Amino acid sequence: MENMQYAEDLLREFLVFRGFTNTLLAFEAELGTDVGKEFQVDKLLDLIFSTYIPRFQAENLVGLMNFFKQLFSSSTTETILVATLSKLEISILRCYIVHAIRSGKRDKVIDFFNMFGNDLHDKGQDWTPWFAIPYAKNPISDPEFHIYFTKEWYEALQISVRNFFNEIFNPSHILPKFSLIKLRIPTLLKISIEKNNANRLKREIKQLNVKLAELQALLEEKDNQLSLSRSHATSAIDSSSRQSESSTLSTGVLEEHNFKMRDMQGSIAKNSLVGSPELVQDWLVTGKSKELSELSTSKSVHESSLISLSTGDGRGDGSSQVVYDYLHDESGREIREEEFPEVKVDFQETFLGHTNPITRCCFSASGNNIASASVDGTVRIWTYDSSTSPSRNATIYCGAEIMSLDWECKSDRLLLIGTAGGGIKAWNVDAKRVVCDLSSTEAFPSVMDIKCSPVEPIFVSASVSGRPSLGYIDNLGLASLTVWNMRTWKAMTVLPLGEDPPAITSLCFNHNGKILAASATDGMIHMFDMSAGLQITGWPAHDSPISSLLFGSDETSIYSLGSDGKVFEWSLQNQGKVLWSVNSSRSHDDDKAKLLRYGMALDARGKRLLMTSPSVRAPIYQVRSRSSGMRTLPHTASITTVDWHPTLPIFLTGSSDHSVRVTSIL
C-alpha cells in the first residue's frame, strides 16, 4: 500500500508539472472508485472489447499489443510470454475483423489491411484467407471463418485474455512454484521498492561497518599480543642459534657455507644496480642469516617466523630494512604452496570461447564485463552473471598476440588492447567496433602494457624494441613510455627514462592519476609525476626482471613481482623498506617458469594476493598474515593471467588450457 501511494504521488507531481489538469481531475475521480489497489484486469478487458474493437480503433488496439510485447521482450527469460501474447494478438485482431463484418463495416476491414496487411504477412502467420474476407458474400457460413462468428469462441477469447493478464500483473495471484513467469509490476512501483531496499541496505551496511570496526580493533589487539610473544620467542631462538652454531657446524658444512657466500657475492658484484657497499652488505648479511637459520637446530616458532634485519649502514632509521615471511605448520615444518588448502567456492563458471592459451583477462570497471585475450590475437568480451545483459559480448581480431588489456576506469564503455605487433586498439563495447587503431613507432614495435588514468582521459603505453616470444621477459630490448589523449587519440608526450633504458614490463596509476609507477627488466621501479611529466624517484627492487607492479589498497605501499617468483611489498613512506615478502618460486618447476610471464592481482580490500603459476593451481597469499594461503581449483594446464573483481570476492584465472574461469569464494 505504501508503494502504491508513493507511485500515485509521483504521478500527481508529473501531471501538475506538465499542466495536464484535465487528466489530473480524471485520475482523481478514478482513484475514488479504486477499492482493491491492485491490477484491474476487467478495466483492460473493457478497453479492448468495449472500446477499441466496437469503436474500430485499430491503431490503438495494435499499439496496445505492441506495448505489451515490448514490455515482455525486455527480458530474455520471458520469451514464453511473448509467444503466448502473439497468439492472443492474432485472435484479438480477428475478433476486430469479425465485429466489423457483423456491423456491416467492410470498409473498416479494408482500411485495417491497408494499414497492417504487410506486417501481418511478414510475420509468417496464415492470414492469406483473411485478406479476402471483405469481399466474401457470406463469411459467416464459410467453413474457413464460421468458428470466429460463434458466441463460444468470443467468450473463450475473453477468458484467455483475462487469465493471461491476471497471471502476469495481479499481485494477489499466487504463482505455482514451478512457474517460469515472473510477476510484473509497473516501473513506478519498482522505484518505491528499490528506494526502500536501498535504505534498508544502507542501514545494514552501517551496522556491518560498526561490527567490522570492532572486529578490526580486536584483531589488532590480538596481533599486538602475538607479536610480543613472537619477539620473545625470536630472542630465545637467536640466543640458541648463536650458542649452537660453533658446536653444530662441521668443517664440511662451513666450507659449503663459504662457497655459497662467495657465489652470492660474485653474482651481486655483476649486478650494476645493487653495486653500492651498503646494498651488497645487506644482501650478504641477509643470505648469511638465512643460512644460519636453516642450519639452526632450535624449535621453529608456531605458524611462522619473521626475520627482520637492518643493513647496519649507521643511519639507524631502518630505511633499508627487509622483512621475509616464511610459513610454517605447528611442528615447525615449512608449508609450501602445493600444501595450501583449496578455496571454498560459492560458484564457478568456465568460459571456453578461446582456441589458444590465454595471455590476459581482466574485469571491467563495474565488474559486470570480462575481457580475455589469447595467443592467436583474439579478444573476447563476455559476461558471467545471468542477470546481466550479454548484449556487449563480442570477438575482436587483432592479428598479433595480445600483450595487454585495460578497461576505461570510469565506465565499461572502452577497452584498450596492446599487441606484440605494435598495435593499440580502442574497442567501443556499445557500438561493437574499433573506434581508434593506433601504432607504436617502428623503433618500439611491441606494446607490453597499457594503463588508463583513473581521472583524466589519457592512457600510457609501454613499448619495447624487442619482439616478445616464449621466455621473452629477458629479451625485450629498450623501453618507451608514451602518454596518449583519449579524446583526440594522439600522442601527448614521451616520459623520460634516460639513455638506453631497459624494457618496461608493467604500469600502474595511483587513485588520483597523479603518480605512475613502472617496472623494468633490470629490476628497477620508476615513479613519475604525471602533471610534470618527469620521473621523481626510483630504486632497485629485484635482482631479476620485474613482471608485475601494483599499488597497495591504501597506497602507502607498492607490490612488485620478479620473474623469479619473489614478491616484495615496498613502503612508499620510507623508500627502500620492505614491509612484507613471499617467495613463490620454491614450489615452481624452473623449466615451466621460464615460459611464464608472472602476474599478480590484489583483492578489493588489499588483503589477498593472487598469482599466476606454472602449475594447474594458483596460490592466494594472505598479505602480512601469519596464516597459510589458499589454492585455486585446478585448471588442466598452467595459469597464465589473473585478476580480482573491483568490489567482490570474485577472481579470474586464465590458463594455457585455453579456458578462463570466474570464481566466487566464500
Side-chain angles (χ1 to χ4, degrees), residues 72 173 180 238 435 463 503 506:
F72 299 146
H173 186 73
L180 296 178
D238 289 342
V435 294
S463 301
S506 182

Side-chain angles (χ1 to χ4, degrees), residues 61-79:
L61 184 62
V62 172
L64 181 65
M65 293 297 104
N66 288 337
F67 165 75
F68 284 122
K69 284 192 290 185
Q70 183 179 6
L71 182 66
F72 299 146
S73 63
S74 62
S75 175
T76 56
T77 61
E78 296 181 346
T79 53

Side-chain angles (χ1 to χ4, degrees), residues 472-474 505 520-521 523 542-548 560-567 583-585 588 590 592-599 611 614:
Y472 62 83
I473 195 69
D474 291 314
T505 56
T521 55
H542 289 256
D543 56 356
S544 67
I546 302 177
S547 292
S548 185
S560 60
L561 168 61
S563 61
D564 56 4
K566 295 179 181 178
V567 178
N583 188 353
S584 66
S585 65
H588 285 174
D590 290 339
K592 290 182 180 179
K594 291 177 182 178
L595 305 180
L596 178 72
R597 180 184 178 186
Y598 280 97
M611 290 180 57

Side-chain angles (χ1 to χ4, degrees), residues 141-154:
S141 60
D142 191 321
E144 181 79 34
F145 308 112
H146 174 70
I147 185 65
Y148 300 103
F149 287 86
T150 62
K151 181 180 180 182
E152 292 78 10
W153 181 85
Y154 180 75

